[in-house]
Amino acid sequence: MFTIKNYKMGFDLWELLLFLFIMLPNFLWFALPAPNDVLRVSSVTPAADQIGQVFQVLMAAALCVLRNTSRKQPMKASYKAAVVLLVLLYFGGWLLYYAGITNAAVILILCLAPCMAFLLFSLARKNAVALLAAGGFLLCHLTYGVINFIR
């Protein structure tokens, strides 16, 4: 059950590291364009993109600063393994993208894998605020990917 009294403010380094680690390929992409760089075209979903950015900031903030005191420590190994696999899938998607492969499967990997990693991490940490924000980010990110590159 979600109650705000179960949450306290406190910085969590692991959540920040996960967020920054997942963002590494994005930092590379900003600095170094890929061949066949379809992600640099103008988006036809600017409203969804802006809402997604808000959800992304809320998600990162909730992961890094809100802690559910009722969660059990440590995170279950199955959640850790799933998050690691999703991050590896995401990095693999970026490798394919930089290899010039920009098909629907690669775009979906780039959209879904990081969002699913954040969703699972939020679920494992029993952080309902981050879970809701990650869900909103997922919907907006998927909307962006499908409408701009797959439809």
Side-chain angles (χ1 to χ4, degrees):
M1 181 167 100
F2 175 77
T3 62
I4 200 71
K5 70 179 182 174
N6 290 341
Y7 288 81
K8 70 175 185 172
M9 300 288 279
F11 180 73
D12 196 322
L13 181 63
W14 288 110
E15 279 88 350
L16 177 63
L17 290 175
L18 173 67
F19 183 77
L20 292 175
F21 190 64
I22 287 176
M23 292 302 294
L24 279 176
N26 294 284
F27 299 142
L28 174 68
W29 175 77
F30 286 128
L32 181 66
N36 193 23
D37 204 351
V38 298
L39 296 178
R40 292 201 188 266
V41 300
S42 294
S43 175
V44 298
T45 57
D49 302 345
Q50 289 176 345
I51 294 168
Q53 288 174 344
V54 170
F55 277 125
Q56 185 179 27
V57 169
L58 290 174
M59 174 192 67
L63 280 172
C64 294
V65 224
L66 283 181
R67 303 188 81 207
N68 186 341
T69 57
S70 68
R71 73 180 166 121
K72 295 189 175 30
Q73 298 279 350
M75 188 165 66
K76 290 182 182 179
S78 58
Y79 281 109
K80 285 181 188 176
V83 168
V84 167
L85 286 174
L86 286 164
V87 171
L88 290 174
L89 178 64
Y90 180 59
F91 282 20
W94 275 108
L95 289 174
L96 292 171
Y97 186 77
Y98 268 88
I101 302 169
T102 59
N103 60 31
V106 171
I107 298 298
L108 286 174
I109 288 169
L110 295 178
C111 287
L112 293 175
C115 297
M116 295 303 296
F118 287 127
L119 279 169
L120 280 177
F121 201 83
S122 301
L123 187 63
R125 296 290 190 165
K126 295 186 178 179
N127 188 331
V129 177
L131 186 64
L132 289 171
F137 177 57
L138 168 70
L139 291 174
C140 292
H141 208 45
L142 187 59
T143 299
Y144 163 78
V146 169
I147 292 175
N148 283 283
F149 306 108
I150 296 175
R151 61 179 175 132

